[in-house]
């Protein structure tokens, strides 16, 4: 269990299989985000239908509502939300800083006020391990301190060093809780590498993380938080020689289609991002030949074509652009569902296509052509609007 087998490599890109208690995950993989124990507006059958192999749950949100004890009483996240495939839960480290009203960080943990009712809470590494145990995901993330994008060397050093100290506490708590709860779910703990946009801090964070335990996977946090894209690529290039081949690499909170392909080419295996569903609810959709466009544009008024002629998703095989535009402009709930299905399928399928091309040995050429076309389409769409 939790073994990761690399089946093919092409340059730095890898195609692998990760064995988890609720099933195997073929990588590279895009993981839809189900913040509140639901991938927004979709049923589990629809999420399975668009090809998702594994989804995320958010510890911060589920702790506040309905409460992790409620989820445990209901049999854990899988039973609670009717999803039988693997789940990964984040640690809430990102949300306590970005969502809660007031957070005070100390060596013990982070004190924060709920964004729902203002109540006060404390997340410590030990507490987060208890919560993630109760939620019962296959993969649980260590509690980390994610500094703001482009933090100074001083701030980024403080954050990665604290993250390492917290990781040691997470490990002890994880092992203790798992031993006490012998019949509970099989889980593995993924550590998170921090270090901001400073290459030497990234290396120090990775080395400290790898020296602190025997892991089944490793995550890269604190990227795609506002820094320029070339810096994200540089950090991935810096980290690659530090990370052992046998561990799946998870780039947290990434990404957009172009980010996905760039990172896969730099050896990343796992991704998640709220963009497909959030953009879908806002009417922004990805079209292979056009980049990202908004469905409410007037040019779609009587467009009888599918949203993306190259997409095989439920939305693209059943509905016209004109109808999707109408639903969105009229504020119909179905529009959010159909656009989310398309956007999620787009990314899930893009990761699958990347996998096929890695196995075929032509990833570099294929991804470069795909990225060039996507960028040109995006530029043309902007020019047409302007
Ligand atoms: Zn589609």
């Amino acid at each position: 269990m939790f073994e990761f087998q690399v089946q093919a490599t092409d340059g730095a890109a890898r195609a692998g299989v990760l064995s988890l208690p609720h099933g195997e995950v073929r990588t590279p993989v895009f993981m839809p985000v189900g913040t509140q124990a639901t991938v927004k507006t979709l049923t589990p059958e629809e999420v399975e239908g668009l090809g998702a192999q594994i989804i995320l749950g958010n510890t911060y949100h589920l702790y506040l509502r309905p409460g992790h004890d409620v989820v445990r009483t209901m049999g854990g996240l899988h039973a609670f939300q009717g999803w039988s495939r693997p789940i990964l839960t984040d640690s809430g480290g990102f949300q306590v800083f970005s969502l809660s009203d007031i957070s005070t960080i100390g060596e013990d943990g982070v004190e924060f006020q709920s964004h729902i009712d203002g109540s006060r809470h404390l997340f410590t590494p030990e507490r987060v391990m208890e919560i993630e145990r109760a939620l019962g995901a296959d993969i649980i993330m260590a509690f980390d301190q994610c500094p703001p994008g482009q933090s100074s060397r001083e701030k980024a050093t403080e954050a990665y060093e604290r993250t390492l100290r917290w990781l040691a506490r997470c490990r002890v708590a994880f092992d203790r809780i798992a031993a006490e709860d012998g019949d509970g779910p099989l889980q593995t703990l993924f550590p998170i590498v921090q270090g901001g946009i400073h290459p030497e801090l990234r290396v120090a964070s990775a080395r400290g993380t790898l020296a602190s335990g025997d892991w089944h996977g490793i995550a890269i946090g604190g990227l795609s938080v506002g820094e320029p894209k070339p810096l994200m690529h540089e950090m991935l290039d810096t980290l690659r020689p530090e990370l052992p081949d046998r561990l799946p690499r998870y780039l947290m909170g990434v990404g957009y289609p172009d980010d996905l392909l760039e990172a896969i080419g730099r050896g990343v295996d796992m991704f998640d991002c709220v963009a497909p569903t959030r953009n879908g609810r806002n009417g922004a959709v990805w079209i292979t030949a056009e980049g990202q466009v908004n469905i409410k544009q007037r040019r779609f008024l009587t467009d009888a074509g599918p949203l993306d002629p190259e997409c095989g998703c439920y939305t693209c095989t059943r509905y016209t652009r004109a109808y999707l535009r109408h639903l969105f402009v009229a504020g119909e709930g179905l529009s959010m569902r159909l656009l989310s299905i398309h956007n999620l399928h787009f990314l899930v399928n893009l990761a699958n296509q990347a996998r096929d091309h890695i196995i075929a040995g032509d990833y570099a050429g294929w991804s470069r052509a795909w990225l060039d076309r996507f960028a040109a389409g995006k530029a043309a769409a902007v020019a047409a609007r302007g």
Side-chain angles (χ1 to χ4, degrees):
M1 196 50 66
F2 303 116
E3 284 302 302
F4 179 63
Q5 290 198 321
V6 177
Q7 298 176 310
T9 57
D10 184 7
R14 301 126 56 90
V17 177
L18 175 61
S19 298
L20 296 172
H22 289 85
E24 289 190 337
V25 173
R26 295 174 306 282
T27 64
V29 63
F30 180 81
M31 308 181 282
V33 179
T35 305
Q36 318 251 27
T38 167
V39 175
K40 280 194 198 306
T41 76
L42 304 183
T43 66
E45 288 73 21
E46 287 166 333
V47 178
E48 276 188 28
L50 59 85
Q53 306 178 66
I54 171 172
I55 60 172
L56 256 71
N58 281 116
T59 290
Y60 169 88
H61 290 281
L62 295 167
Y63 159 79
L64 289 177
R65 190 169 55 191
H68 58 291
D69 287 332
V70 171
V71 176
R72 178 178 16 220
T73 302
M74 300 309 294
L77 269 184
H78 287 93
F80 187 49
Q81 70 185 98
W83 173 259
S84 58
R85 294 181 181 179
I87 299 178
L88 179 153
T89 46
D90 68 4
S91 67
F94 184 74
Q95 283 79 15
V96 288
F97 291 107
S98 59
L99 282 186
S100 65
D101 291 331
I102 299 171
S103 19
T104 320
I105 182 162
E107 190 54 30
D108 193 36
V110 180
E111 209 183 313
F112 61 95
Q113 251 183 309
S114 160
H115 72 289
I116 300 168
D117 61 9
S119 53
R120 302 192 72 85
H121 305 267
L122 175 67
F123 269 9
T124 62
E126 294 77 15
R127 182 71 173 143
V128 168
M129 291 298 98
E130 283 168 21
I131 298 167
E132 292 196 83
R133 181 75 187 175
L135 297 176
D138 302 66
I139 299 172
I140 73 173
M141 302 306 300
F143 189 54
D144 63 325
Q145 183 182 348
C146 179
Q150 307 196 61
S151 286
S152 67
R153 181 180 309 269
E154 195 190 345
K155 292 270 179 230
T157 300
E158 192 186 301
Y160 101 75
E161 288 181 347
R162 178 169 279 141
T163 295
L164 281 179
R165 292 192 297 275
W166 283 358
L167 177 61
R169 288 168 56 188
C170 281
R171 182 80 240 182
V172 169
F174 176 84
D175 290 342
R176 173 181 52 78
I177 295 165
E180 287 168 3
D181 182 19
D183 294 334
L186 260 182
Q187 299 184 297
T188 191
L189 172 66
F190 274 22
I192 303 172
V193 171
Q194 290 290 351
I197 50 170
H198 308 282
E200 68 287 3
L201 302 188
R202 285 282 168 187
V203 169
S205 175
R207 290 181 183 175
T209 300
L210 290 165
S212 68
D214 193 15
W215 311 108
H216 292 115
I218 192 162
I220 302 164
L223 289 177
S224 195
V225 287
E227 79 284 359
K229 282 178 194 277
L231 273 179
M232 178 167 93
H233 301 159
E234 189 193 333
M235 295 307 113
L236 295 177
D237 288 334
T238 300
L239 280 172
R240 191 170 67 243
E242 299 294 328
L243 304 178
D245 291 340
R246 64 184 175 78
L247 299 184
R249 304 163 189 158
Y250 164 30
L251 180 55
M252 303 180 77
V254 173
Y256 280 66
D258 38 358
D259 294 334
L260 210 71
L261 294 190
E262 293 280 6
I264 289 170
R266 290 173 169 81
V268 175
D269 308 296
M270 301 167 71
F271 302 87
D272 79 283
C273 190
V274 294
T277 38
R278 183 175 291 167
N279 288 357
R281 295 196 302 279
N282 294 329
V285 291
W286 288 305
I287 298 177
T288 307
E290 292 188 58
Q292 186 175 305
V293 301
N294 199 301
I295 191 65
K296 75 176 176 217
Q297 288 171 20
R298 201 164 171 80
R299 66 187 169 107
F300 297 132
L301 185 64
T302 56
D303 190 331
L307 187 51
D308 182 353
E310 295 172 41
C311 180
C313 84
Y314 170 75
T315 302
C316 290
T317 49
R318 288 282 290 260
Y319 303 95
T320 64
R321 289 174 166 185
Y323 181 62
L324 294 169
R325 177 186 184 275
H326 158 70
L327 287 182
F328 183 78
V329 171
E332 284 294 332
L334 181 59
S335 125
M336 296 183 187
R337 289 164 37 69
L338 294 177
L339 298 182
S340 291
I341 285 173
H342 167 76
N343 274 351
L344 283 171
H345 179 274
F346 191 93
L347 279 179
V348 165
N349 183 54
L350 187 62
N352 290 344
Q353 282 181 271
R355 180 182 162 81
D356 292 342
H357 285 281
I358 293 166
I359 292 170
D362 64 355
Y363 182 75
W366 170 78
S367 65
R368 182 43 52 204
W370 199 99
L371 286 166
D372 287 347
R373 186 173 168 226
F374 194 68
K378 209 156 48 172
V382 169
R385 274 204 303 277

